[in-house]
Amino acid sequence: MRRDELEAGLEIAPKKMRLKTKLLIGAAALAVLCTAALAAFLYGMAAGSREEEPVVTSDLLGEQLRSAQELVTVAYYYTNMGRFENQVHFYGWKVPFTTKSFIISYDGVIKAGVDLTAVSVQVDEAAKTVAVTLPESRILSHEIPEDSLEVFDENDNIFNPITIEDYAGFTKDQKEAMELRAAENGLLTSAEEKARTTVESFLRLLPEMEAYTLTIQ
């Protein structure tokens, strides 16, 4: 090999080495960047999956319970028949031939339950306990559909005619009597038991409650 060719070869070799070195360094730097990006991505994924645990508060649970109001009601369906009778009185004396009367059968539905807008919720974050105090059950509604009313044995009187007020007053008295009967048959007790059971089941379904001990009074 000629000397000039050898010298030219010696000059080319270092250039190839420097290029190869640069390529290796570049590849190493790219690998470091990719590793850092991957690490940042995995950290972000881990941080996203480790969301902060929900904090249980009285307001939060109270709002959840209010949304379940309809779930804690007990319906009492019945069919009843009652008699209305009225006679004109004059200074304590019953005026003859002024008696009016009628018999009515009717259907009704009484709903009883606990008003969850009045529930008390106490959260002890340190002890991880939740205490729920329910108000007493009560009659929430009482309906007698008009189309269920049937009148029998109506006895009108020209001197004491039957009026709309007679029917309205009769219905009001019948409602009070039926609510008393329903309570005696355990309607309010059943409403309290259902409210307690439903509230406990409802709250235990909330993910936030897993770390808390629940008591219901």
Side-chain angles (χ1 to χ4, degrees):
M1 181 181 293
R2 293 183 305 174
R3 183 176 180 180
D4 55 347
E5 292 177 351
L6 180 60
E7 290 178 353
L10 291 176
E11 292 178 358
I12 293 173
K15 290 181 181 180
K16 289 183 178 181
M17 292 179 61
R18 284 196 295 271
L19 179 59
K20 186 176 181 180
T21 302
K22 288 179 180 180
L23 290 174
L24 291 175
I25 294 174
L30 181 60
V32 171
L33 290 175
C34 289
T35 303
L38 179 61
F41 174 76
L42 293 177
Y43 178 80
M45 291 284 291
S49 63
R50 294 195 307 270
E51 295 179 353
E52 293 185 0
E53 294 184 2
V55 177
V56 172
T57 66
S58 300
D59 292 339
L60 172 65
L61 296 184
E63 186 65 29
Q64 294 287 347
L65 289 177
R66 281 188 288 275
S67 68
Q69 175 66 55
E70 189 64 25
L71 300 177
V72 298
T73 60
V74 175
Y76 180 89
Y77 296 89
Y78 67 88
T79 298
N80 193 44
M81 180 176 287
R83 176 181 175 82
F84 170 86
E85 183 174 295
N86 178 267
Q87 188 173 5
V88 174
H89 289 70
F90 183 74
Y91 288 103
W93 175 64
K94 294 181 179 180
V95 180
F97 311 110
T98 61
T99 300
K100 59 182 176 181
S101 64
F102 55 78
I103 297 174
I104 292 184
S105 71
Y106 57 93
D107 300 328
V109 56
I110 304 172
K111 287 188 177 182
V114 171
D115 183 5
L116 294 184
T117 62
V119 70
S120 172
V121 180
Q122 299 294 328
V123 178
D124 188 334
E125 186 63 30
K128 292 294 181 181
T129 61
V130 174
V132 178
T133 302
L134 300 175
E136 294 184 357
S137 61
R138 61 182 179 85
I139 302 295
L140 300 177
S141 66
H142 188 175
E143 300 295 333
I144 296 180
E146 291 185 4
D147 58 1
S148 73
L149 297 172
E150 291 190 47
V151 181
F152 303 92
D153 193 25
E154 187 177 65
N155 180 21
D156 204 353
N157 193 292
I158 189 173
F159 300 108
N160 187 20
I162 295 174
T163 65
I164 295 297
E165 287 74 18
D166 292 330
Y167 290 110
F170 172 81
T171 302
K172 180 177 182 295
D173 293 340
Q174 289 295 298
K175 279 187 172 182
E176 293 176 355
M178 290 306 301
E179 288 175 7
L180 180 60
R181 182 186 301 180
E184 291 174 348
N185 289 335
L187 176 63
L188 297 181
T189 301
S190 297
E192 290 177 356
E193 292 175 353
K194 182 178 181 181
R196 186 177 296 106
T197 301
T198 302
V199 168
E200 180 176 3
S201 300
F202 182 78
L203 290 180
R204 291 195 185 282
L205 288 175
L206 300 177
E208 301 91 336
M209 289 294 297
E210 293 180 356
Y212 292 80
T213 300
L214 174 65
T215 58
I216 301 177
Q217 301 175 353

